[in-house]
Amino acid sequence: MSAIWTGVSGLLSYSTGIANTGNNLANTGTTGYKSSRLLFADMISEMAGGTSDGSQIGTGVQVGSVSMTTSTGSPISASQSMDMAINGERGYFVVKKPGTDKTYYTRDGAFNFDVNGYLTTETGLNVQGWAVDQTAVTAAKRTGTVLSQVPTTGTLTDIQIKDYTSAAQATSAVTMITNLDGQTEPGTLDATDPYFSMFKRYNADNSPPISNTAYSAPIKVYDSEGGTHTLTTYYSKVSDENGKEYWEYMVTMPPEDDGSSTTSGTSKAGVLMIGTLTFSAQGELENETAFTPSGSDPTDLASWTQASLDGSGNPKLNATFRSASNSSNILSSQPIVYKDGLSSSNASWSASAPATAADIGTLTSANAGFNSANTKNAATCTSNYSTSSYTASSTQDGYASGTLLSTSVDENGVISGTFSNGQTIELFVVGLADFVNPTDLYREGNNLLSATKESGDASLGRANSGVFDSVSGYTLESSNVDMATEMVNLITLQRAFQSNSKVVTTADEMMQKALEIKR
C-alpha cells in the first residue's frame, strides 16, 4: 500500500511542477514577468519493516516551495516615451487602483497618460511618484546653484499632468559678454562729464535715440506676461590712460516700451543703467561702476545712484515695461541682474566708490566702483583685446508661455515635459519600491504584485539613488523566462511523472498477485 501512496505523491507533485513550468512558458512574452522556481521536498520517512538497524524508507515527495525569481529580463526597445524599464533587480514601480488605497508593485513599465492626464498602467492603475518642487528648481537656476538631484515636494502621489501649458517667466538675469576693440578711438567727449558723454547725447525723441557709438549688443528679454522687448547695451570708448582703457556703457530699452514713472516721457526714456568699465593693459576687465535712476530728474547725473548688487555681486537694474499687447497697461517693475563677467566677491561697492554718476566728473580714479581686492572675473568675461568688437555670448532666463509637446523620462526616473517655448520642465520623479525578500511577493495577476509578511514592507525611493537601480525610457523589460531551461525541466518532469505512474501500476499488480495467492 505504501508504494501506491508514494507513487501518487509523485504524480501529484510532478503534476504541479509541470503546471508551474507551463505557466512560465506561457508567460515567455509577458512584459516584466518573473518566472517561478518550484522546489521539491521528501515526505516523512518510516521505519523499514524487518530491519534491526533503524533503517527508513521514504513515503514520497511533496512540493517544498514555489518562489519568484528576481533576475532581470532583457531590455527591449519600445515606441512610447513613457515605457520604462528598471536596469537591475532593485526596484519595482508603485501603482494604485483609482479611488482606493490598495497599492501594488510591478516590473511592467508599459505606461501612458490617459485622457485625464494620469500616468497609468495598461489596466488603468495610477503610477505613483513625487511632484518636482518648481520653486526650488527656479531659485537654483537663478542663483546658478547646481542641485545634486531634482528636488521634490509632498508625499508619493498619482502622477498627473494637470496643466499642459508652461507659464511665461519674466527675465530676471541677463548675461552680456563682449569684446570691445582696444584699437577704437575715443568718441566725442563731454567737457564736464566725459565718462557719460554717450548718456548726455542720448535723446529719446530722436530715432534712433543714440548714434555714433563704438559698439552695441542687443538681446531679447521677456516681461511678466511673456511679451518680448529688446535690451541694448551701448559702448563708447572714453580714454587711454597709463596703459588702461576706460569705456562708458549704457543699457537701454526702446523708449516707447518704458513705463517708468522716473524716465518715461523724458529725453532719457528707455535708459535703464549707465556706468563705466576699466580694462587693464592686458585687456582684462578689472573694475566697473553702475548707476540706476532714483531721483526726479533723470537728465541730471546726480539722480543716477549706485545700482544695488545681488548676492553674487552683480549690479541690478529695474525695467518697467509697457504691456506688449496693450501699451497703456504698465507692468510692475521688473528687477534684472546684469552680468558682464565681473562681480564683487563681498557683494558690495567700495567705500570710496562714487555715490552718483555725477561724482565721477573728470576723475579717472573715480571709475573704481569695486574694491580691487574683491573683484572676481568669471571664466568668460567682457574683454578689451585689439580685435574687432563682438558679442562673445548673451543669455537671459526669461521665456514666453508654451504648450506641452512631449514627455520623457531620464535614468533618475525624472519625468520632463518639452514645451513649444523651448523649455524642458521637470514635472515628476517616479517612485520605486524595494523589499527585503522580494521572492515572496504575492502575485495578483495582470503583472501586479503585493507585499506579504514574508516579503516585508516596501521601502520607497527614487531611481539611481541608494540601493535602487536606474530607469530607461523608451524601453520595456522582457520576461526573464529561459525557454531552454524550462523545456529541459518539462521533459524531466514529464519523465518523472511517467515513472511514478509506473510505480502505481506496479504496486497495483503486486496487490493483485497477492489477492490471487489468497484465493
Side-chain angles (χ1 to χ4, degrees), residues 417-480:
T418 300
F419 294 81
S420 59
N421 56 6
Q423 298 302 305
T424 298
I425 300 176
E426 295 152 333
L427 304 172
F428 283 90
V429 176
V430 176
L432 297 184
D434 191 40
F435 299 88
V436 175
N437 186 21
T439 59
D440 281 328
L441 288 168
Y442 185 77
R443 296 181 188 269
E444 299 279 359
N446 289 324
N447 286 347
L448 301 176
L449 305 166
S450 61
T452 64
K453 181 179 179 180
E454 291 75 18
S455 70
D457 293 332
S459 297
L460 301 177
R462 49 201 294 173
N464 213 21
S465 175
V467 300
F468 294 95
D469 290 307
S470 61
V471 168
S472 292
Y474 282 103
T475 307
L476 291 174
E477 180 186 356
S478 63
S479 168
N480 71 348

Side-chain angles (χ1 to χ4, degrees), residues 61-192:
V61 66
Q62 60 185 334
V63 175
S65 66
V66 181
S67 60
M68 183 177 71
T69 62
T70 59
S71 59
T72 307
S74 300
I76 52 177
S77 296
S79 59
Q80 301 292 330
S81 64
M82 288 295 99
D83 286 339
M84 307 178 201
I86 301 170
N87 301 316
E89 296 184 27
R90 304 303 294 269
Y92 294 81
F93 297 111
V94 184
V95 297
K96 274 190 175 183
K97 186 176 181 180
T100 71
D101 290 330
K102 184 61 177 176
T103 301
Y104 301 98
Y105 310 94
T106 183
R107 294 281 296 196
D108 181 3
F111 305 141
N112 210 342
F113 287 102
D114 66 11
V115 294
N116 296 313
Y118 287 98
L119 185 65
T120 65
T121 66
E122 292 181 313
T123 54
L125 276 67
N126 294 334
V127 182
Q128 302 296 292
W130 293 277
V132 171
D133 188 341
Q134 301 297 340
T135 302
V137 171
T138 301
K141 286 181 178 179
R142 288 184 167 175
T143 59
T145 303
V146 178
L147 300 172
S148 58
Q149 62 179 11
V150 176
T152 60
T153 182
T155 58
L156 203 67
T157 186
D158 295 341
I159 294 177
Q160 180 188 21
I161 297 180
K162 299 179 181 179
D163 188 358
Y164 288 86
T165 62
S166 166
Q169 177 173 293
T171 298
S172 66
V174 167
T175 299
M176 182 62 68
I177 308 298
T178 58
N179 178 72
L180 303 175
D181 188 357
Q183 301 180 76
T184 303
E185 294 296 324
T188 303
L189 302 180
D190 182 86
T192 306

